[in-house]
Amino acid sequence: MSGQRPAAPVATAGPVERRRGWTGWFDPRGRRLGGWAFALNRLTGLGLVAYLYLHLGVLFLLSQGPDGWDAFVDVALSPPILVMDVVLIFGMLLHGLNGIRVGLVGYGMVATRQGALFVGLMIIGAIVLLAATLRVFA
Amino acid sequence: MAEPQTTPTRPVRFRVHRRKAGDSGGRYDSFEVQLDEQRTVLDGLVAIRKEQDPSLTFRHSCFHASCGTCGMRVNGADVLACVTKVADLGPTVTVEPLANIPLVSDLVVDMGAFYGPFSRAGRPLLRESELVPGSQRAEGIDVLTRYEDCIECGICVSACPLTGSDPRYAGPAALCAAGRVIEEPRDADRLAALRFADGSHGVWRCHVAYECTGACPSNADPGAHIMRLRRAATADRFRRWFGVGRAAR
Amino acid sequence: MSVQPTPTDEPGGGAGAFLGQVISGAALLVLLTLHMIAQHFVLPEGLRDYASVIEWVANPIVVVLELSFLAFVTWHALLGLRAIVFDYGFSPSTERWITRTFVVIGVVTVVYGTWLMYAIVSAA
Ligand code: SF4
Ligand code: SF4
Ligand code: FES
């Protein structure tokens, strides 16, 4: 045991702010379905924004004629990049399908059934992801 | 006289957040307590204060999930300590104060800060709409009224990821209270409650995580109330802009 | 330091941003699906080579669809980023600066994308 200290401590300062900050967005402890949806939506959203700018940057090659672009296509069709494509499709599906939930629930529709809605949408997402993965590696 | 029946006990290790006013930071103190399987986290804290460290501060009153004073974070989850059994937790029980509400001492948070936006929602405490189904009424009592579901424990505020980052956010408890005014005004100012809730650091800050609803020990469902407020605010705006839709009062 | 939470701001603030996110999100559900199918899934190789891109953008409907996709995706992305930044509860004047910054980034993005499309179409 530790922590024996004199009783009745004297107050010398007011209450201290103790917010969880942005790390609380991703803290997995005690998290439920909606909290996971929120955290994953945020992570996939940030990833998709990064990808958007990467994509726009790579498309610049198209303005420089066939050589650069066709060389890029060869690289883009290599297996490691294809795996990244599946990750990208996962992000799009999760963010897009969860977005349907946020849009509906966020306007007061199915406000008490958001968990079931999330599960249903994720099942659809899993099926589409499976089909897309098979297509990517076909 | 028969000996009272004793239930076997086991040692439970408590890691308890400590910080007194004026301390420069928090720390965790460890205590070992013998508890039987029926005991709760609150029982453990009471035993620590009684037998090991009288300076440990925490709030409690009813011991049965009615008063809402014993909200705290136990192993990272926001719960009422009085109904959280140690048997359901691991060998070590980490107890912290509610997050996102300013800390006063050890496990005690500043409920004044919590009530600030809460009282602005203007919700009356008595619910008039519901009889308790199947309830028996004593002779001479015709109508049973209930108090609001929300026991003002602050657990949803601690669980909400947005209250954790945005000090301007009204938070789920206050918005839930505003939602109840919209649902059942009881002479309260419906439009004022809607104006209070309808802002970018009001209902529109919420990102539909529903941690508030999941954590609420009293089924007040703040998440759903926030979403209904958003619908009410949208309907109100439509009515003001286009003259169609249901009025807010 | 005692901190009183300060809720609310100007009434109705935030409602427009959420509506914008829902509208652009709904548009993206359609446009992104079309984009993915047309640019990747219908092709045996999964990606167009230069000649195929040039042939494809000769169709004005494609150009319109891709440019609207660019506009909606930029809008949705930057409005979403702004929401994440706003989740830190800055002062209203800081919030206005953040909004202006995102508007500038958005305009630059769309102008760049449109120029790129113009460059590719002119090569066709
Ligand atoms: S639903 Fe809204 S208020 Fe409730 S925890 Fe999530 S973000 Fe917070
Ligand atoms: S809404 Fe629920 S969790 Fe929040 S203060 Fe009320 S009772 Fe506690
Ligand atoms: S002591 Fe009253 S709710 Fe826990």
Side-chain angles (χ1 to χ4, degrees):
Chain A
M1 185 206 98
S2 63
Q4 282 291 8
R5 36 166 41 245
V10 183
T12 54
V16 280
E17 183 79 327
R18 261 180 93 257
R19 283 182 199 275
R20 288 153 77 193
W22 69 269
T23 49
W25 299 341
F26 307 112
D27 184 353
R29 299 181 305 162
R31 201 178 273 289
R32 284 153 279 254
L33 214 50
W36 283 112
F38 159 77
L40 289 171
N41 205 61
R42 190 142 285 211
L43 285 174
T44 52
L46 289 169
L48 289 168
V49 175
Y51 176 76
L52 169 67
Y53 281 93
L54 184 75
H55 193 44
L56 285 171
V58 167
L59 288 177
F60 180 76
L61 290 173
L62 278 169
S63 67
Q64 307 298 301
D67 297 349
W69 180 259
D70 288 342
F72 163 74
V73 169
D74 287 341
V75 178
L77 295 177
S78 64
I81 306 284
L82 291 182
V83 172
M84 301 290 285
D85 284 347
V86 173
V87 174
L88 174 70
I89 295 168
F90 165 80
M92 286 174 179
L93 283 169
L94 196 141
H95 196 89
L97 291 169
N98 181 56
I100 296 177
R101 164 183 160 275
V102 171
L104 289 177
V105 177
Y107 275 126
M109 288 166 259
V110 281
T112 52
R113 309 268 308 150
Q114 59 88 26
L117 182 60
F118 182 67
V119 172
L121 288 164
M122 287 308 111
I123 291 173
I124 297 173
I127 295 169
V128 178
L129 182 65
L130 186 69
T133 308
L134 293 175
R135 174 69 190 83
V136 165
F137 287 104
Chain B
M1 202 176 79
E3 279 291 300
Q5 226 183 337
T6 51
T7 330
T9 61
R10 69 172 173 101
V12 180
R13 196 169 89 90
F14 279 76
R15 272 181 78 241
V16 183
H17 175 270
R18 305 303 300 271
R19 181 171 181 168
K20 299 296 183 190
D23 286 359
S24 57
R27 63 170 201 282
Y28 290 84
D29 284 351
S30 292
F31 304 92
E32 204 174 275
V33 191
Q34 286 289 331
L35 290 171
D36 74 54
E37 298 288 280
Q38 293 305 313
R39 296 298 123 201
T40 65
V41 172
L42 185 56
D43 292 327
L45 293 173
V46 169
I48 291 168
R49 184 163 66 189
K50 204 166 148 198
E51 291 150 19
Q52 302 187 36
D53 186 346
S55 74
L56 176 64
T57 49
F58 51 93
R59 298 169 70 232
H60 76 83
S61 179
C62 70
F63 279 94
H64 59 247
S66 290
C67 69
T69 50
C70 68
M72 44 190 90
R73 304 196 85 205
V74 175
N75 290 355
D78 304 277
V79 293
L80 293 175
C82 68
V83 288
T84 303
K85 285 192 180 170
V86 287
D88 299 335
L89 305 163
T92 300
V93 178
T94 300
V95 191
E96 297 162 286
L98 292 177
N100 311 334
I101 306 177
L103 178 75
V104 177
S105 168
D106 293 343
L107 301 172
V108 178
V109 294
D110 177 11
M111 293 308 279
F114 168 78
Y115 290 126
F118 197 87
S119 54
R120 289 184 56 193
R123 181 210 59 191
L125 265 176
L126 280 181
R127 256 175 111 103
E128 284 161 354
S129 59
E130 272 174 61
L131 292 172
V132 180
S135 60
Q136 301 212 329
R137 267 169 273 159
E139 212 175 307
I141 295 179
D142 300 326
V143 181
L144 290 180
T145 52
R146 282 179 57 205
Y147 282 107
E148 279 291 336
D149 283 340
C150 173
I151 55 174
E152 301 172 14
C153 62
I155 282 178
C156 53
V157 169
S158 180
C160 170
L162 271 299
T163 326
S165 60
D166 180 3
R168 295 178 65 204
Y169 182 37
L175 293 173
C176 182
R180 283 288 300 141
V181 175
I182 303 298
E183 196 170 70
E184 193 183 334
R186 293 155 285 178
D187 299 328
D189 188 346
R190 209 162 176 260
L191 206 59
L194 195 59
R195 293 284 170 276
F196 159 75
D198 180 19
S200 77
H201 296 273
V203 285
W204 302 103
R205 183 90 267 116
C206 165
H207 291 297
V208 200
Y210 272 65
E211 287 291 346
C212 51
T213 290
C216 177
S218 196
N219 288 326
D221 204 348
H225 278 291
I226 291 172
M227 303 318 151
R228 291 191 199 112
L229 275 169
R230 289 160 72 137
R231 186 168 64 193
T234 308
D236 182 53
R237 201 159 295 119
F238 257 80
R239 183 187 57 80
R240 279 185 286 123
W241 288 354
F242 307 113
V244 293
R246 205 151 47 87
R249 69 148 124 215
Chain C
M1 176 183 58
S2 174
V3 183
Q4 287 291 322
T6 342
T8 58
D9 29 8
E10 77 283 10
F18 185 73
L19 180 65
Q21 236 13 12
V22 168
I23 292 175
S24 56
L28 283 178
L29 285 178
V30 178
L31 291 169
L32 178 63
T33 308
L34 285 178
H35 175 87
M36 289 302 287
I37 292 174
Q39 302 289 20
H40 305 288
F41 286 99
V42 293
L43 306 164
E45 315 79 30
L47 198 58
R48 291 176 189 277
D49 62 13
Y50 186 80
S52 161
V53 171
I54 297 296
E55 188 191 316
W56 181 243
V57 295
N59 183 344
I61 296 175
V62 168
V63 174
V64 170
L65 281 179
E66 291 297 342
L67 285 182
S68 10
F69 175 53
L70 170 70
F72 278 115
V73 81
T74 307
W75 179 15
H76 193 83
L78 296 179
L79 204 53
L81 271 188
R82 175 180 166 274
I84 294 179
V85 176
F86 276 22
D87 286 345
Y88 254 83
F90 294 102
S91 71
S93 64
T94 312
E95 284 188 348
R96 276 192 290 278
W97 275 108
I98 294 167
T99 302
R100 280 182 208 131
T101 310
F102 277 118
V103 168
V104 171
I105 298 173
V107 169
V108 170
T109 306
V110 174
V111 167
Y112 162 79
T114 312
W115 165 80
L116 196 60
M117 181 62 97
Y118 172 77
I120 300 166
V121 171
S122 339

